[in-house]
């Protein structure tokens, strides 16, 4: 038992090492960011497939579209029209107004009314672009607005050009900390609810509303590797609804088609929804739908989202997290993420070692992969983002690699073991039998000629062991696959009886064997080989141990286990080697040598029984019986033939 444990441990160490190397390579690939794009794609898809949430009732978007531009006859929207829009919106008493339009120039003649509105209404927040590296890409805020009502409009895009992060705060060139438009709108709305913002003196300090802290995006958050995490950023948890916000147009507001309850006590964000006139769109794959994607029927894999929609999602995320405890997206620490990957990789290695079959391993890995995808999807519903792409790769690659290496290791060990067994069998059934005959003849004062003949036979048999094993290794099991069992048994019978064994000298009667009953028996190549060795061993025992035997009979039979329905019953096969000599091995307790062990092992393989018993009046019967294992399709074929034959027998 201890030797078997040591052998299995050696196999496991040998086969598990390649799987561990594969898992390590996958971990290194993730550390270098090579899997980042694939993880982003999976992350977006999971967000998109989440269950539908109820629409958000806190935010209304006023989108200035192409129809509105044609109605006013000019772009950008003139200051007088923008002032009129803001005046109408204010009349319905919103909590806050976010102006997602650049209005840094105040030289227009009708700017006075807009400037007055911007100065006198403390719930209006404007924007500026202050973080661009090039000065010509920066845009100043409306000069009428005080600095505490000016927000950053800068956007953060990932390397694939898609929007997944939102900026909350950042330090600008003059050293001041500036907040983004979603954060200022959320601050203004929550302040009216009695909830104040808490923030430190650094832009990257945690931001908190009441008891709710906004999780800060880090350099290696989730699948990100070495990302720019400057300032204070957050992962966007897009609202999971095809149309999460109320959307109205400038024309709808001017014509009075907007219901007051769509504005009262809400946050109103004014922005552009005219993709032809202004480029204020970004790519995303994490939402169920966007305005522009619905309009142009674009693929959901590359949805385009207006900037004003993004601001609505980001603002809604902050407010609903504070008021309704809608969770932000969370990630594990890097240590736990890599433990997660290695744990699933280890599972793949264990499956590859235990199943010991590429097909079983492949099927089980497929089922485990589905379970892993289901677990990761369930966690994303709970707002936890865990790595799935490297985990899937670790599970499948480690499992398949281990299975292949384990199979090769086991095949090599089995081949070595089989070679040793076959070598011993060749020596046992050849030279050792001849030596036994020589030793026996010494008791009978053999002649010089007989002794010389026996020694020559021993010399030849010893030399033929190499040729026999070389033939076995070169041909493998092809001989036993291609030849029928009856043909193989006839060959063994003839070759064994030609050997000079003392027990064969007294035999006068050889009853010709008939192996045809085994013709239809379904046997593997190993079982055919085992039957041949069994008969050779039994015949050699007769030649070595039988005294004064005069008759040798080899009987092969096939019978049905059930009476009356032989066509449906499995067959019972019997192979007997019978002699009538006086055997030197006590029948009551036969010696359990190599031959007996092999016979019992073959009987277990066939699902049968081996026994050696006395033959009346004298002699020994060496018998192997087994029952045919009939495949279900063959039983069905037999039933069909039975019904056909019964039908044909009717008069």
């Amino acid at each position: 038992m201890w030797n078997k444990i040591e052998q299995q441990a050696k196999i496991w160490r040998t086969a598990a090492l390649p799987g561990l190397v594969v898992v390590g390579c996958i971990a290194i690939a993730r550390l270098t960011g090579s899997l980042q794009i694939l993880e982003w794609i999976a992350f977006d898809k999971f967000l998109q497939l989440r269950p539908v949430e109820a629409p958000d009732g806190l935010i209304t978007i006023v989108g200035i579209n192409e129809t509105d531009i044609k109605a006013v006859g000019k772009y950008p929207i003139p200051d007088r029209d923008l002032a009129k829009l803001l005046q109408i919106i204010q009349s319905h008493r919103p909590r806050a107004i976010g102006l997602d339009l650049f209005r840094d120039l105040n030289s227009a003649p009708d700017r006075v009314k807009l400037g007055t509105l911007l100065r006198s209404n403390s719930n209006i927040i404007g924007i500026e672009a202050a973080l661009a590296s090039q000065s010509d890409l920066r845009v100043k805020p409306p000069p009428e607005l005080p600095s505490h009502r000016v927000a950053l409009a800068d956007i953060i895009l990932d390397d694939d050009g898609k929007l997944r992060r939102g900026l909350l705060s950042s330090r600008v060139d003059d050293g001041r900390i500036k907040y983004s438009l979603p954060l200022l709108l959320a601050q203004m709305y929550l302040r009216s609810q009695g909830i104040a913002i808490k923030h430190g003196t650094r832009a990257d300090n945690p931001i908190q509303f009441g008891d709710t802290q906004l999780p800060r995006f880090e350099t290696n958050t989730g699948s990100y590797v070495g990302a720019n995490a400057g300032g204070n950023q957050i992962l966007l948890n897009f609202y999971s609804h095809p149309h999460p916000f109320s959307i109205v147009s400038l024309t709808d507001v001017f014509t009075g088609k907007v219901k007051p309850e769509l504005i009262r006590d809400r946050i109103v964000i004014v922005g552009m929804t005219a993709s032809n006139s202004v480029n204020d769109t970004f790519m995303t794959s994490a939402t169920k739908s966007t305005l522009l994607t619905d309009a142009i029927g674009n693929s959901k894999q590359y949805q385009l989202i207006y900037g004003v929609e993004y601001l609505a999602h980001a603002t809604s995320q902050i407010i609903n997290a504070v008021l309704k405890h809608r969770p932000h997206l969370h990630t594990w620490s890097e240590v736990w993420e890599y433990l997660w990957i290695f744990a699933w990789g280890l599972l793949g290695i264990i499956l590859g070692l235990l199943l010991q079959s590429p097909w079983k391993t492949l099927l089980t890995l497929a089922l485990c992969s589905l379970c892993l995808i289901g677990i990761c999807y369930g966690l994303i519903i709970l707002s936890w983002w865990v790595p799935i792409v490297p985990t899937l790769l670790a599970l499948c690659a480690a499992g398949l690699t281990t299975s292949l290496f384990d199979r090769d290791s086991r095949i090599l060990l089995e081949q070595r073991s089989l070679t040793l067994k076959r070598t011993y069998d060749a020596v046992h059934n050849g030279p050792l039998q001849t030596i036994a005959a020589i030793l026996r003849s010494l008791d009978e004062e053999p002649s010089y000629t007989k002794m010389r003949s026996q020694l020559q036979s021993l010399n030849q048999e010893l030399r033929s062991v190499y040729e026999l094993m070389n033939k076995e290794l070169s041909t493998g099991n092809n001989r036993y696959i291609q030849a029928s069992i009856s043909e193989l048994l006839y060959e063994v019978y003839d070759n064994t009886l030609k050997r000079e064994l003392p027990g064969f000298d007294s035999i006068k009667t050889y009853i010709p064997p008939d192996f045809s009953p085994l013709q239809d028996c379904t046997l593997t190549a190993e079982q055919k080989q085992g039957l041949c060795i069994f008969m050779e061993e039994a015949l050699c025992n007769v030649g070595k141990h039988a005294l004064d035997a005069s008759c040798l009979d080899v009987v092969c039979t096939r019978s049905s286990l059930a009476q009356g329905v032989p066509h449906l019953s499995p067959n019972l096969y019997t192979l007997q080697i019978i002699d009538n000599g006086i055997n030197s091995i006590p029948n009551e307790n036969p010696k359990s040598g190599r031959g007996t062990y092999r016979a019992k092992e073959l009987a277990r393989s066939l699902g049968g029984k081996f026994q050696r018993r006395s033959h009346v009046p004298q002699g020994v019967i060496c018998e192997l019986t087994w029952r045919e294992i009939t495949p279900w399709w063959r039983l069905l074929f037999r039933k069909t033939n039975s019904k056909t034959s019964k039908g044909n027998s009717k008069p």
Side-chain angles (χ1 to χ4, degrees):
M1 179 62 70
W2 181 249
N3 289 336
K4 290 183 178 179
I5 293 175
E6 285 186 339
Q7 185 179 10
Q8 288 297 320
K10 183 178 180 181
I11 293 175
W12 278 51
R13 285 197 306 269
T14 304
L17 183 59
L20 292 174
V21 171
V22 168
V23 176
C25 291
I26 292 172
I28 293 173
R30 187 174 191 265
L31 279 170
T32 59
S34 301
L35 303 177
Q36 197 170 223
I37 299 295
L38 294 176
E39 290 196 74
W40 286 343
I41 293 173
F43 174 59
D44 291 344
K45 197 64 180 179
F46 275 174
L47 289 179
Q48 189 183 97
L49 294 176
R50 288 180 300 174
V52 176
E53 300 178 77
D56 185 280
L58 302 178
I59 298 175
T60 296
I61 296 175
V62 177
I64 302 174
N65 54 36
E66 298 291 348
T67 303
D68 298 331
I69 294 175
K70 292 178 181 178
V72 299
K74 188 178 180 182
Y75 177 81
I77 300 298
D79 289 343
R80 64 176 183 277
D81 294 297
L82 185 56
K84 179 181 177 182
L85 174 64
L86 294 176
Q87 191 173 16
I88 296 174
I89 293 174
Q90 284 285 23
S91 67
H92 296 301
R93 299 192 303 276
R95 293 280 186 94
I97 300 175
L99 192 60
D100 186 30
L101 298 171
F102 290 115
R103 276 297 188 273
D104 55 322
L105 302 177
N106 60 350
S107 58
D110 52 359
R111 178 75 176 199
V112 177
K113 186 175 182 180
L114 176 61
T116 301
L117 281 171
L118 294 177
R119 279 189 295 267
S120 59
N121 291 277
S122 61
N123 63 344
I124 298 178
I125 301 174
I127 60 170
E128 66 173 328
L131 301 180
S133 57
Q134 300 179 13
S135 59
D136 57 341
L137 296 178
R138 299 177 184 179
V139 182
K140 293 183 178 181
E144 297 87 354
L145 289 176
S147 60
H148 67 276
R149 285 199 284 127
V150 175
L152 294 174
D154 298 88
I155 300 292
I156 301 174
L157 299 177
D158 288 331
D159 291 341
D160 61 349
K162 292 186 179 180
L163 187 64
R164 296 183 184 90
R165 293 177 280 162
L167 181 67
L168 297 179
S169 65
S170 180
R171 191 176 297 276
V172 294
D173 290 343
D174 59 6
R176 292 180 300 163
I177 295 177
K178 289 281 187 175
Y179 294 122
S180 66
L181 182 58
L183 188 65
L184 285 184
L185 290 173
Q187 178 188 8
M188 188 172 292
Y189 186 91
L190 294 172
R191 187 169 55 204
S192 66
Q193 301 279 349
I195 302 174
I197 187 174
K198 300 176 184 178
H199 189 211
T201 58
R202 293 173 53 89
D204 56 357
N205 287 150
I207 298 175
Q208 187 171 333
F209 288 96
D211 296 331
T212 304
Q213 182 173 306
L214 306 184
R216 182 176 178 270
F217 177 85
E218 302 288 348
T219 301
N220 294 323
T221 293
S223 66
Y224 286 87
V225 178
N228 180 9
N232 199 313
Q233 305 173 29
I234 191 171
L235 278 175
L236 291 175
N237 189 9
F238 289 98
Y239 225 80
S240 182
H241 192 281
H243 308 287
F245 309 109
S246 300
I247 300 175
V248 298
S249 67
L250 182 144
T251 303
D252 293 335
V253 176
F254 282 177
T255 57
K257 294 182 180 179
V258 179
K259 297 179 181 180
E261 55 266 26
L262 290 180
I263 296 178
R264 186 179 300 116
D265 292 329
R266 291 194 179 193
I267 294 175
V268 179
I269 304 178
V270 181
M272 299 301 301
T273 57
S275 58
N276 294 332
S277 300
V278 60
N279 184 19
D280 189 26
T281 59
F282 309 95
M283 284 199 305
T284 181
S285 300
T287 60
K288 289 189 177 296
S289 181
T290 66
L291 289 174
L292 185 54
T293 300
D294 285 345
I296 64 179
N298 196 11
S299 169
K300 292 184 180 296
Q301 183 66 27
Y302 300 100
Q303 297 182 50
L304 294 174
I305 186 171
Y306 289 116
V308 68
E309 282 185 277
Y310 148 70
L311 295 173
H313 278 283
T315 306
S316 173
Q317 177 177 339
I318 299 171
I319 295 175
N320 281 292
V322 177
L323 298 181
K324 300 180 180 180
H325 303 289
R326 180 177 181 263
H328 294 284
L329 289 174
H330 299 280
T331 59
W332 291 340
S333 66
E334 284 190 86
V335 174
W336 284 108
E337 286 182 341
Y338 284 100
L339 285 176
W340 167 264
I341 294 171
F342 273 97
W344 282 92
L346 185 61
L347 175 61
I349 292 173
I350 293 173
L351 291 175
L353 289 171
L354 291 179
L355 296 176
Q356 299 182 13
S357 168
W359 288 109
K360 289 181 181 178
T361 303
L362 187 62
L363 178 60
T364 307
L365 289 176
L367 294 175
C368 290
S369 298
L370 292 176
C371 292
L372 174 60
I373 293 172
I375 292 172
C376 292
Y377 176 69
L379 288 173
I380 205 71
I381 291 176
L382 299 175
S383 299
W384 282 95
W385 179 20
V386 299
I388 180 173
V389 173
T391 312
L392 271 177
L393 290 176
L395 171 67
C396 297
L400 291 176
T401 302
T402 302
S403 177
L404 293 175
F405 273 85
D406 179 54
R407 185 190 64 174
D408 292 341
S409 299
R410 292 182 185 276
I411 288 175
L412 181 59
L413 289 176
E414 288 175 1
Q415 286 177 344
R416 291 176 178 175
S417 177
L418 182 61
T419 301
L420 289 174
K421 290 180 180 179
R422 292 295 296 123
T423 303
Y424 180 80
D425 289 335
V427 174
H428 178 267
N429 294 335
L432 290 181
Q433 300 290 354
T434 303
I435 291 174
I438 294 174
L439 293 174
R440 183 176 172 184
S441 64
L442 291 176
D443 299 332
E444 303 174 358
E445 298 182 359
S447 64
Y448 173 79
T449 304
K450 185 176 181 180
M451 178 66 72
R452 180 180 179 83
S453 175
Q454 289 176 333
L455 290 175
Q456 286 178 343
S457 298
L458 176 60
N459 179 57
Q460 185 62 35
E461 288 171 353
L462 286 172
R463 293 178 182 275
S464 65
V465 170
Y466 171 76
E467 297 177 0
L468 175 63
M469 295 311 303
N470 188 44
K471 181 180 179 182
E472 289 280 348
L473 293 175
S474 61
T475 60
N477 287 334
N478 291 337
R479 176 168 171 262
Y480 295 98
I481 294 174
Q482 297 170 0
S484 65
I485 184 61
S486 58
E487 178 184 347
L488 293 170
L489 290 176
Y490 276 122
E491 181 183 341
V492 171
Y493 180 82
D494 290 336
N495 292 337
T496 306
L497 292 183
K498 292 177 182 178
R499 296 168 60 177
E500 295 184 7
L501 296 176
F504 294 155
D505 294 341
S506 60
I507 296 177
K508 306 300 181 183
T509 304
Y510 292 94
I511 301 175
D514 180 15
F515 298 114
S516 59
L518 296 180
Q519 194 67 36
D520 296 330
C521 182
T522 304
L523 297 168
T524 65
E526 288 77 10
Q527 290 169 343
K528 289 181 181 180
Q529 186 180 35
L531 281 173
C532 292
I533 295 175
F534 165 76
M535 194 175 72
E536 181 184 14
E537 171 73 18
L539 292 174
C540 287
N541 282 336
V542 174
K544 183 172 62 173
H545 300 293
L547 301 176
D548 300 328
S550 61
C551 180
L552 177 63
D553 189 8
V554 177
V555 180
C556 183
T557 61
R558 181 184 67 179
S559 60
S560 177
L561 290 175
Q563 300 296 328
V565 284
H567 54 279
L568 297 180
S569 174
N571 293 315
L572 180 67
Y573 294 98
T574 304
L575 179 61
Q576 296 176 323
I577 294 86
I578 308 170
D579 70 88
N580 63 347
I582 302 172
N583 202 285
S584 61
I585 300 178
N587 293 333
E588 296 81 6
N589 185 23
K591 184 180 179 181
S592 297
R594 174 64 183 171
T596 302
Y597 174 78
R598 283 294 302 262
K600 291 181 178 180
E601 194 177 55
L602 175 61
R604 283 193 296 269
S605 171
L606 294 170
K609 181 181 180 182
F610 163 74
Q611 59 179 335
R612 184 161 48 211
R613 66 179 189 273
S614 299
H615 179 234
V616 180
Q618 69 179 29
V620 172
I621 299 177
C622 190
E623 181 182 77
L624 182 67
T625 59
W626 70 94
R627 185 174 62 179
E628 179 184 23
I629 301 176
T630 308
W632 63 268
W633 54 267
R634 183 172 292 182
L635 284 175
L636 182 63
F637 180 72
R638 287 181 180 177
K639 290 180 181 180
T640 305
N641 287 347
S642 173
K643 292 179 180 179
T644 305
S645 61
K646 287 181 179 180
N648 293 337
S649 64
K650 292 181 180 180

